[in-house]
Amino acid sequence: MSDLWPDPVAGAPYTSLSLAHLALGSVAREASDFARGLVPTGARRGGYDGALLADALRIAELAEQVLAAAVVVEREDGTTWEEIGAVLGVTRSSAHKRWQPVTQRWNEQMERAAVRGRVDDEALPEVLADPPEQVARRLDEWAVRHREPGDPVAGEHPVSDALERMNPLRELLHLDGVRRQLWASYEGAPLPAMLAPLAEREAELEEALAASAGPGEAGEHAAAAAKARAYAAQLRGQATPN
C-alpha cells in the first residue's frame, strides 16, 4: 500500500489515464506505420495521379488524431485548459471550445466500454472495444520490433509495464458508473445475473479496504462488504431458474 492509497486488488481494471495512454499509443502506431510507406522513393508506374497527396492527407488526418489523443491524456493527467492552450498557442477558451467535446466523447466511450455485450460496441475505438491487456500486448510487441539504439525505453514490455490499475476506492466509483450504464442500457431493468458480479466485486474491494484500514474505518468497510455479499447472493438467487 502507498502512503496515500491502498494497492489495487487482483483483477482491477486499468485507470482512465492508462486507457488514454493506450489510445494515444494505438493511433501513434498507425500514423508511424502509414508514414513509413512514404519513405521509399520513386513514382508508381504511370505516375502518382494524386495518390501521393492522398497518402499525405491521410497522414495529416492521423496526426490530428494523435493530437486529440494527446489532449485526452493531458486532461486525464490533470493538465489545465490554460496550460493546453499555452502549448498550442491559443487562449484557454479556444482550447476548451475545440477539445472539450473530444474529452467528453472519450469519457462517454469509456462508460459504454465498461458494459460489455452492448449492441453499440462496434462504435467504440479499438482500444476500448478490445481487452486492454490485448491492446497493450500488441503495442509492446510493436515497440520492441521497431526499437532502435538510443531509444530511452528498455525492456520487453515498454507499454504495459507503465500502466496503472485502479485502487479499491477508485474502482468502487467505477463500479457505480458501470451500474448506471446497465440501468440506462436495459431501460431500468438490468438482469440480476449482470448485477451480481458487480456486487461480488464490491464485496472483495470492501474486504480489502477493511484489511488495510485503521480500527476506526475497518468496521465500516467490513459491514459494507457483508452487505454487498448478501445482495450478491440475493441476485444470484433471482438469476437461478426455479
Side-chain angles (χ1 to χ4, degrees), residues 15 19 22 26-27 38 42 66 88 99 132 157 163 175 180 194 225 229:
T15 64
L19 291 176
L22 288 178
S26 295
V27 69
L38 289 181
V66 171
L88 298 178
W99 298 109
H157 309 97
L163 300 177
L175 290 178
R180 288 194 299 270
M194 296 177 177
R229 290 285 183 198

Side-chain angles (χ1 to χ4, degrees), residues 62 86 98 107 151 224-225:
L62 289 170
R98 179 178 181 185
N107 290 330
D151 283 354

